Amino acid sequence: MKAEVSTDARLNRWLSVACAVLIGVDLLHIPLGLASIPRFYERVTTLAIPVFATDVGSGLTNEIVLAESAARGMSLPAYALYRMGIHLLVSAVFTVVGALVLWRARSHWFGWFTAHVLLFLNSYAYFPIARVALLVPPIWIEWSALFWPTFGLYLLLFPNGRVVPRWARLLALVYALVHLALQLAALLALAGLLPPESFDAIQGPGGAFIFAALVLILGSQVYRYIRVSSSAEREQTKWFLLGLAALILPSSIGEALRVDAVFRTFEWDTLSLTILPVTLAIAILR
């Protein structure tokens, strides 16, 4: 028994260290995002957004800036400050919730893993700013996409860090490897090191597998909820799934009913990201 406890303690310690390293990498987006603010402001207010920025997914063009600022009755400087304020507000929510989870986690590795997931998602609050500013080559902005497999693993491991059912361990391993390979291929294509046609050839089947794996992962959460979870863990799962549903369903339902205009604004796209950390904080901190 003592040997088993000692082994579990060592594993918990090593997993905590690994998650701490991931958190350190996640935090690199904050100085890059903050450093990008002056250039973002300059390019938006002078309508000097480079066309290349849209190629790496910023989605923001000079035409969009003119249309959105006019629709909101804002001058270009006011619009730039308004947009930056929303992104920084979202980042603040993720950062505060991540810090609270770390404070509560203490020495339990899954709490550290939760903080990593929150701070990884936090990087997307800075992406529109960094993609327009382009202080560094696009690949140095996009590299955190390599961490997307950890989000899928988090869905499987929530709420206590254990894989349920046991056979899902193989699923987790294969899913993580395939998803990582697909994200790596996307980065290589972005850097011009992989021909676009080669990436297109693997993107379809790879994406289909990842979607199927995520469906199975969510199915494992249903099994866990019904057969394994304690009453407290069931409450945590309810809050977590509520956050996911509130993040995903409004846009999907709005699109299906053709009333999705409100869900296509950058305000919704950005502010809706805070739904998940808030419900996750309630689930973890209760």
Side-chain angles (χ1 to χ4, degrees):
M1 176 64 73
K2 289 184 178 180
E4 182 179 346
V5 172
S6 178
T7 300
D8 289 343
R10 284 198 299 269
L11 179 60
N12 181 75
R13 183 166 58 252
W14 280 110
L15 289 173
S16 297
V17 170
C19 292
V21 172
L22 291 176
I23 290 171
V25 176
D26 294 327
L27 292 175
L28 293 177
H29 283 285
I30 295 179
L32 175 61
L34 295 177
S36 298
I37 287 177
R39 179 69 63 82
F40 175 88
Y41 180 84
E42 175 190 347
R43 286 184 166 173
V44 170
T45 56
T46 60
L47 296 177
I49 299 173
V51 175
F52 183 66
T54 63
D55 293 336
V56 294
S58 73
L60 192 62
T61 64
N62 297 318
E63 292 76 16
I64 291 176
V65 168
L66 280 173
E68 291 190 344
S69 60
R72 291 160 179 77
M74 296 179 176
S75 64
L76 292 180
Y79 174 79
L81 292 174
Y82 172 69
R83 185 150 193 154
M84 288 189 299
I86 288 177
H87 290 302
L88 293 176
L89 173 62
V90 171
S91 174
V93 172
F94 274 101
T95 303
V96 169
V97 174
L100 287 173
V101 170
L102 272 181
W103 169 74
R104 181 68 179 268
R106 297 183 175 88
S107 60
H108 193 277
W109 79 270
F110 193 65
W112 287 77
F113 190 49
T114 300
H116 151 65
V117 169
L118 288 168
L119 293 173
F120 156 64
L121 294 175
N122 177 46
S123 65
Y124 284 84
Y126 289 106
F127 272 12
I129 296 175
R131 286 165 171 165
V132 169
L134 283 178
L135 297 182
V136 296
I139 193 170
W140 295 110
I141 300 173
E142 305 292 327
W143 58 263
S144 67
L146 293 173
F147 288 166
W148 270 115
T150 64
F151 182 74
L153 292 177
Y154 187 77
L155 294 178
L156 177 65
L157 295 169
F158 189 86
N160 56 18
R162 293 193 293 270
V163 178
V164 176
R166 293 177 64 88
W167 59 261
R169 294 180 179 180
L170 179 59
L171 170 65
L173 176 62
V174 176
Y175 157 78
L177 292 175
V178 172
H179 201 169
L180 179 62
L182 191 61
Q183 295 294 348
L184 181 59
L187 288 178
L188 292 176
L190 177 64
L193 301 176
L194 182 69
E197 57 272 17
S198 298
F199 176 67
D200 292 340
I202 64 176
Q203 185 179 22
F209 172 80
I210 290 169
F211 177 78
L214 289 175
V215 170
L216 290 175
I217 286 173
L218 292 176
S220 74
Q221 278 291 347
V222 174
Y223 173 85
R224 181 199 294 265
Y225 183 88
I226 296 174
R227 300 293 298 273
V228 179
S229 294
S230 65
S231 58
E233 288 173 341
R234 287 176 180 172
E235 289 300 314
Q236 289 179 311
T237 301
K238 286 179 183 178
W239 279 106
F240 183 48
L241 294 180
L242 174 64
L244 283 177
L247 184 62
I248 296 171
L249 291 182
S251 297
S252 302
I253 295 174
E255 184 174 358
L257 298 178
R258 300 183 184 277
V259 291
D260 60 334
V262 68
F263 302 118
R264 290 188 175 180
T265 63
F266 84 86
E267 288 94 342
W268 171 260
D269 286 342
T270 308
L271 291 173
S272 63
L273 294 175
T274 61
I275 295 173
L276 186 59
V278 169
T279 56
L280 188 56
I282 296 172
I284 295 296
L285 299 177
R286 44 182 301 119

